[in-house]
Amino acid sequence: MNAVIVEDEKPAARRLQRMLEKLDVQVVATLNSVEEATKWFLQHEHPELIFLDIQLSDGLSFEIFENVEIGCCIIFTTAYDEYALQAFKLNSIDYLLKPIDDEELETAIVKFRKTRHSSPAAIDLKNLKNLLNLPTSDYRKRFSIQVGQHLKLINSEEISCFYSENKGTYLHTTENRSYLLDSSLDKLEQELDPEKFFRVSRKFIIRMKDIKDIITYSNQRLEVRLEHYDDQQIIVSRERVKIFKEWLE
């Protein structure tokens, strides 16, 4: 049988892989983040079993299911205490408590091998999040862009800004590429994390980490220069200067 490990702590991932190989389980991929796992599952045949850490470096592993329909069995690996883990029992989901014990892992594999031909239990993600009291965020973390026949995933951390031009809305990346979006700046303003993104004018939403320079401009306005976008001048409208300065702090 084969498996995929989704774990952002590399020593833990390596240890789990060694343990699985001793149980004749072939690990076909070790993935370190929500973004990497989402891309991998979109592009590869899914394994028989996934070992999935809950909290990854770029978010909760549940976010993978928002972009990919996964039909194989999942064993969650987690450091949550026994009380919280009652949530998994209520949802009929298998789990392993970190640090993973050899005997518990072997028991989980034996159990899976006995039931591998039955349909995987459906996971009520919303209920599971609530039971575990996990932090939730409705803010967009990534965008899927159609590029020819391919689907390109762009993480919010790869975005320099959003802008409107010729009645279209565009996303501009830190790789200096622009992509047309089926959205509006008004809608994006509601979807983006306000700690990271700011609407400086009717035409621009910028990401804080991409700001290179801020210059005093005429009429009590400010000009913002970004690291990865210089096609148009970005001016903070006069009525937004005060809250823009507050946002920067």
Side-chain angles (χ1 to χ4, degrees), residues 69-107:
E69 185 176 344
I70 295 178
C72 53
C73 290
I74 297 169
I75 295 178
F76 285 94
T77 59
T78 175
Y80 281 89
D81 60 29
E82 292 291 346
Y83 176 77
L85 288 172
Q86 295 303 312
F88 288 96
K89 294 177 181 178
L90 291 172
N91 280 258
S92 300
I93 299 168
D94 213 344
Y95 68 88
L96 293 169
L97 191 64
K98 292 181 179 180
I100 296 172
D101 179 79
D102 293 82
E103 290 185 8
E104 289 181 357
L105 177 61
E106 185 173 5
T107 300

Side-chain angles (χ1 to χ4, degrees), residues 128-189:
L128 190 56
K129 284 182 183 181
N130 291 337
L131 288 168
L132 286 171
N133 196 26
L134 291 170
T136 57
S137 171
D138 293 328
Y139 299 126
R140 291 282 294 272
K141 292 184 174 64
R142 61 190 57 80
F143 292 81
S144 57
I145 309 293
Q146 192 75 34
V147 183
Q149 295 182 328
H150 300 273
L151 190 67
K152 181 178 179 64
L153 291 173
I154 299 176
N155 193 289
S156 63
E157 296 301 313
E158 301 173 83
I159 296 169
S160 171
C161 66
F162 299 87
Y163 64 93
S164 60
E165 185 177 53
N166 298 326
K167 297 183 180 180
T169 303
Y170 295 84
L171 174 158
H172 191 83
T173 71
T174 52
E175 295 180 343
N176 283 316
R177 296 285 303 275
S178 288
Y179 299 94
L180 181 65
L181 293 175
D182 183 18
S183 187
S184 67
L185 289 186
D186 289 340
K187 188 170 185 292
L188 288 168
E189 189 176 9

